Amino acid sequence: METPLFYRYKHSDPPGPNFYQVPGYFSILPVRVGRYNEAVDRESNEIRATWSQIMGDKGRFDQILGCSTGLGNLVDWAYPEARPDRIQTGVRANEHGLWWDTLAEVADVETHQQLSKDLKDTLKTVIETGQIVKPKFPATECALSIFENHIGGDDDGFIGMAKGWLRYVEAQAKNTHNDMTFEAMLAHRVQDYAVVWAFELGAWMMGNDSSKEERASVHHIVVQYLRGSMLVNDYYSFNKEFQESKESGNLDRLQNSISTLMREYSYTEDEARQIIRKIVVEEEQAGLDAYEEWKKNPVPNAERIEGYIIMAMHMMGGTNHWASLAPRYHKPLSTNANDRAELIGKAHNGRLILEGYNPPAASANGSASLIPRSIVSKYHHAPMGSGMNGASVHKKKAPRAKFSRRFRSCDRTTAQAPHQYTSSLPSQNLRDKLIDSFNMWSNLSKSSLVVIKKVVDLLHNSSLMLDDIEDHSDIRRGLPATHLLYGQSQTINSANFVYACSFSEVLKLRKETCNDIFVEELENLHMGQSLDLHWGYHGSCPSIDEYITMVDSKTGGLFRLAVRLMEAESSASSNPELIHFATLLGRYYQILDDYKNLTSEEYSKTKTPLEDLSEAKLSLLLIHTLTHSPHVDRVRGALFHRRPAASGGPQELSMEMKTYVLGIMREAGSLEYAKGVLEELFTEIERVLGELEGKLGKNPKLRGLLSKLAV
């Protein structure tokens, strides 16, 4: 998202380095994190305990089905700019709403009708009198407790929320999605989606006082976020909703866009999910583009109107992120894809055709048994209330103008997905900490520092993605390597895409010399990696001097890049000793990494045990063994002459074989040799640091960081 025009964030922060996104996450709306998570979790726990008592035997539920995910809370992400004095009400509204929704989904038809009537009658009384009367059912009473104290005495917000929830409940009761076209279903789902009333809550929680007319003026923007979020929610909740509807005998009441595509259009679940992903990105991008256009022409009271847009954008982005993680949607289920496939083609009046999308594969192969209806269902972007009423249109040929239109850029989601997964993996963030330490001397602006950190982080993650493919590694930081989840080709493409992104970041820096520095060190990174790959492929042992040259480029390149960019941005003259210091750090870090790979039990927990031996990595330790052991032939035979595995790399070494090779390395004194090199290097690094401090000033941050790296 581009920088807001007027709005200034007061209660939230961008996601931190440990922010996790599930593999394949596809929403492109920005997410921020509220700062009051302790208060949020405390209130959530109390409410979930109350609902667990009310639900009793009716629900197959435990206390994780509300707003909490274990990695954060819906309220932290969906209402990041909520004022601290209004957090409690927001938590109560969302928790009660989710629990009510769950109860409604699993109740039998008669109970569902009774609960809905009780809630509607009570809400109407609230709207008409401004007072809460005691409803018939405990569940209704608990849900309506969100209106206690009239939302802090703000009657307008109180009544607005009640009206919004009433519209939501009435829309749920009016229709199922049987026999609906996709566009009619969308119009209906937008009306029944709870976020319509949640917008009232969100604006109140952040203290936004924009008028109804002002909000209506940007409805065409926020409705795109809402439509996309509704589909994201359907995407992640479908499996759960199917099972609950099936168990309660209410499959005909299943209201989900995926079920509509499967039932009315005969798409498989996988085909329907691909369509939903594409539409979500299109809807969200349309909303983001509309927001950028709106900013070009400020209107009266633009600041508070923009606050409303910001609220809606982050509410939908945060809700999407929550849906991808919520245990409510991802708990173990007894039904599976084969069970859900019973929905395919269950339309009462024959199959619909979705214009602009390929027909179901079964239909294209001539195996579909249903006769299409005489209409084409035509999906298009349209604001809520702009005529998406499911009207039939006669089938017609696709206009040839589609093939002569001007260039339209692809969305970035697919290209970014492998990198997003890699960047979500656990990390010590050593490079960020080093940059912060160096900044005690550079005193860069926060904006320049953020850019440099991002450039280094992007290149580092890109190298990890490629390294794991090149080294045939299956584990990265204790989790599956990226290429195992996304495939080698897509991972390579994403890594290359990240190079382009990193250069785009460099262009944001003030000094043009940063461009040259970036290119030089990027070349060094690849030249160093090429030597490492060359030696490994041919099984040739480099000299120690050749090894140091490789490490200085491959590993030292990122350390030097950070230092050189910081020097350039600070307008300080280049300091050769500082560049040398960065190079020494790179050497030390690489040798330390190789040493720990073969000696640290803790290190092995995040990787394949003795992984460097599996890869036949020509580390400093192995080079020493190959030049000092009397059993070189045995080591070469074990590491370099294995049969190829199905993956294309060498067959995995057994633990017994790796232990045997490690024993030879110990006998050759290679582990002690590497430890001695590390100790000498550390002493030299401390000496150079002392000289730098004599010229640039003391740097306790850097010394503290170094102390943690000592052998």
Side-chain angles (χ1 to χ4, degrees):
M1 184 187 75
E2 298 293 331
T3 303
L5 184 63
F6 296 106
Y7 190 79
R8 297 294 177 265
Y9 293 102
K10 306 179 186 71
H11 306 291
S12 66
D13 300 294
N18 295 323
F19 185 72
Y20 177 76
Q21 283 190 328
V22 298
Y25 183 74
F26 54 97
S27 172
I28 61 174
L29 292 183
V31 179
R32 290 183 69 89
V33 183
R35 297 171 184 165
Y36 313 112
N37 59 299
E38 290 185 5
V40 168
D41 288 341
R42 184 168 55 250
E43 187 70 20
S44 281
N45 291 336
E46 292 178 4
I47 294 170
R48 288 200 300 274
T50 301
W51 271 99
S52 294
Q53 294 176 350
I54 291 175
M55 300 288 281
D57 297 334
K58 287 187 174 65
R60 298 154 294 282
F61 312 106
D62 53 34
Q63 291 191 5
I64 65 171
L65 299 185
C67 295
S68 181
T69 69
L71 294 170
N73 192 291
L74 169 63
V75 175
D76 292 327
W77 297 322
Y79 305 89
E81 283 294 281
R83 286 171 26 180
D85 59 318
R86 297 185 174 185
I87 283 287
Q88 184 183 47
T89 299
V91 176
R92 292 169 65 185
N94 282 274
E95 285 286 2
H96 287 313
L98 285 174
W99 279 96
W100 174 269
D101 192 46
T102 300
L103 179 60
E105 286 173 354
V106 301
D108 57 56
V109 174
E110 182 179 355
T111 303
H112 181 271
Q113 291 174 345
Q114 291 175 349
L115 286 169
S116 294
K117 184 177 187 304
D118 191 32
L119 181 60
K120 285 188 289 184
D121 290 346
T122 309
L123 284 172
K124 288 176 181 176
T125 302
V126 168
I127 294 167
E128 292 170 0
T129 67
Q131 301 294 321
I132 299 176
V133 297
K134 187 176 180 64
K136 296 179 180 178
F137 295 98
T140 313
E141 183 176 7
C142 187
L144 289 174
S145 67
I146 62 176
F147 295 124
E148 288 179 2
N149 302 322
H150 291 199
I151 310 184
D154 185 345
D155 287 334
D156 287 341
F158 165 68
I159 298 300
M161 274 186 59
K163 289 179 178 178
W165 200 1
L166 179 61
R167 290 197 301 270
Y168 167 55
V169 176
E170 288 178 336
Q172 277 190 318
K174 281 181 182 177
N175 209 338
T176 69
H177 296 159
N178 290 334
D179 304 321
M180 276 191 182
T181 62
F182 183 74
E183 59 270 25
M185 178 278 303
L186 260 183
H188 182 255
R189 288 285 287 127
V190 165
Q191 292 176 31
D192 89 3
Y193 193 38
V195 178
V196 173
W197 70 264
F199 277 173
E200 296 285 343
L201 173 66
W204 176 83
M205 287 180 68
M206 74 183 298
N208 182 273
D209 59 354
S210 54
S211 67
K212 292 180 180 179
E213 292 75 17
E214 289 167 343
R215 295 177 187 182
S217 72
V218 292
H219 181 71
H220 66 288
I221 300 174
V222 301
V223 76
Q224 305 284 1
Y225 308 147
L226 191 154
R227 285 155 58 91
S229 186
M230 178 272 293
L231 293 174
V232 171
N233 186 79
D234 281 1
Y235 183 93
Y236 287 112
S237 67
F238 173 60
N239 294 359
K240 163 189 172 286
E241 291 176 357
F242 172 85
Q243 175 160 311
E244 291 175 346
S245 297
K246 185 175 178 65
E247 288 177 345
S248 60
N250 295 327
L251 270 183
D252 278 349
R253 284 217 339 257
L254 178 55
Q255 301 187 13
N256 187 290
S257 54
I258 293 179
S259 64
T260 296
L261 290 172
M262 294 173 70
R263 183 171 50 224
E264 307 298 330
Y265 296 80
S266 296
Y267 284 110
T268 66
E269 182 179 341
D270 286 344
E271 291 170 334
R273 288 186 182 278
Q274 287 300 316
I275 291 171
I276 295 301
R277 290 169 69 97
K278 184 175 187 298
I279 292 175
V280 166
V281 173
E282 290 174 348
E283 291 282 356
E284 292 179 344
Q285 189 61 60
L288 294 173
D289 291 345
Y291 170 47
E292 291 303 313
E293 282 299 312
W294 177 86
K295 289 198 298 184
K296 294 177 182 178
N297 300 290
V299 296
N301 301 317
E303 186 169 358
R304 66 187 186 190
I305 298 175
E306 185 182 35
Y308 180 75
I309 298 173
I310 292 288
M311 176 277 299
M313 181 190 303
H314 288 307
M315 179 188 289
M316 298 298 91
T319 301
N320 295 347
H321 177 67
W322 170 82
S324 73
L325 295 170
R328 165 188 174 87
Y329 294 157
H330 303 286
K331 62 179 181 174
L333 300 172
S334 59
T335 53
N336 56 34
N338 290 333
D339 298 314
R340 296 190 292 272
E342 72 175 85
L343 291 173
I344 298 174
K346 286 298 179 70
H348 296 164
N349 298 311
R351 177 170 61 85
L352 280 166
I353 300 170
L354 191 64
E355 186 178 26
Y357 292 87
N358 291 330
S363 173
N365 294 332
S367 57
S369 58
L370 291 174
I371 301 173
R373 301 183 212 179
S374 60
I375 66 169
V376 176
S377 172
K378 189 174 186 178
Y379 171 75
H380 60 92
H381 299 290
M384 182 169 62
S386 63
M388 284 184 58
N389 55 11
S392 300
V393 294
H394 291 290
K395 185 174 182 178
K396 59 183 179 180
K397 294 182 179 179
R400 293 185 179 180
K402 290 182 179 179
F403 299 98
S404 59
R405 64 170 173 77
R406 296 183 183 275
F407 169 75
R408 184 184 302 161
S409 176
C410 300
D411 73 84
R412 303 162 68 93
T413 308
T414 304
Q416 287 176 329
H419 172 258
Q420 287 181 334
Y421 170 73
T422 303
S423 63
S424 73
L425 297 176
S427 172
Q428 296 178 353
N429 300 311
L430 172 66
R431 289 161 184 82
D432 277 6
K433 294 173 184 176
L434 277 171
I435 291 171
D436 285 333
S437 300
F438 286 133
N439 199 44
M440 290 194 71
W441 291 327
S442 301
N443 294 316
L444 292 183
S445 67
K446 184 177 180 180
S447 59
S448 293
L449 202 64
V450 167
V451 169
I452 293 172
K453 284 182 179 180
K454 188 170 183 180
V455 169
V456 172
D457 188 59
L458 286 169
L459 291 180
H460 176 58
N461 286 328
S462 178
S463 72
L464 296 183
M465 295 158 67
L466 296 174
D467 279 351
D468 286 340
I469 294 173
E470 293 162 350
D471 297 337
H472 308 286
S473 298
D474 292 343
I475 303 295
R476 169 63 62 180
R477 296 173 183 166
L479 293 170
T482 306
H483 64 276
L484 295 185
L485 302 177
Y486 292 93
Q488 291 191 7
S489 299
Q490 181 68 349
T491 300
I492 292 170
N493 185 72
S494 184
N496 293 336
F497 176 73
V498 169
Y499 287 141
C501 295
S502 61
F503 188 65
S504 295
E505 290 296 319
V506 172
L507 294 176
K508 297 177 182 178
L509 296 173
R510 296 180 300 112
K511 301 300 178 64
E512 289 187 10
T513 53
C514 292
N515 302 343
D516 296 332
I517 292 169
F518 175 84
V519 172
E520 287 174 18
E521 293 300 349
L522 189 60
E523 289 177 348
N524 286 332
L525 291 170
H526 283 81
M527 289 188 293
Q529 181 73 350
S530 71
L531 289 176
D532 198 17
L533 295 171
H534 174 81
W535 297 331
Y537 180 78
H538 293 285
S540 57
C541 180
S543 66
I544 298 297
D545 191 58
E546 289 173 328
Y547 168 80
I548 293 172
T549 299
M550 180 273 293
V551 169
D552 285 352
S553 290
K554 173 186 173 180
T555 309
L558 280 181
F559 290 93
R560 276 194 312 278
L561 175 64
V563 169
R564 294 181 66 191
L565 289 177
M566 294 177 77
E567 277 190 336
E569 275 293 278
S570 68
S571 301
S573 57
S574 180
N575 187 331
E577 283 303 301
L578 188 56
I579 304 301
H580 179 56
F581 181 77
T583 301
L584 289 176
L585 278 178
R587 280 181 207 167
Y588 183 84
Y589 188 78
Q590 182 63 65
I591 297 171
L592 179 64
D593 186 74
D594 294 344
Y595 179 74
K596 285 185 174 181
N597 190 280
L598 300 183
T599 61
S600 169
E601 292 183 8
E602 189 67 28
Y603 196 82
S604 295
K605 291 178 182 178
T606 63
K607 290 176 173 279
T608 304
L610 304 178
E611 185 178 48
D612 282 358
L613 296 182
S614 298
E615 299 171 5
K617 181 178 179 180
L618 283 153
S619 64
L620 179 66
L621 296 87
L622 184 57
I623 294 170
H624 183 273
T625 299
L626 293 175
T627 54
H628 290 79
S629 172
H631 305 300
V632 173
D633 289 346
R634 298 179 190 178
V635 175
R636 283 188 172 278
L639 300 185
F640 298 116
H641 298 290
R642 287 174 274 169
R643 288 191 296 271
S647 64
Q651 197 171 62
E652 174 61 40
L653 283 177
S654 67
M655 196 61 202
E656 292 78 11
M657 181 64 81
K658 287 192 280 191
T659 302
Y660 176 74
V661 172
L662 184 61
I664 294 177
M665 298 177 76
R666 288 187 189 279
E667 290 177 5
S670 301
L671 275 64
E672 282 301 313
Y673 168 75
K675 185 178 181 182
V677 170
L678 286 168
E679 290 171 347
E680 290 179 11
L681 257 179
F682 194 82
T683 299
E684 177 64 9
I685 288 171
E686 286 189 312
R687 184 192 68 77
V688 176
L689 176 57
E691 292 183 356
L692 288 170
E693 286 183 317
K695 298 176 182 178
L696 304 175
K698 294 293 183 182
N699 197 326
K701 274 190 178 180
L702 192 49
R703 283 200 173 273
L705 193 57
L706 277 179
S707 67
K708 297 177 182 179
L709 297 177
V711 180

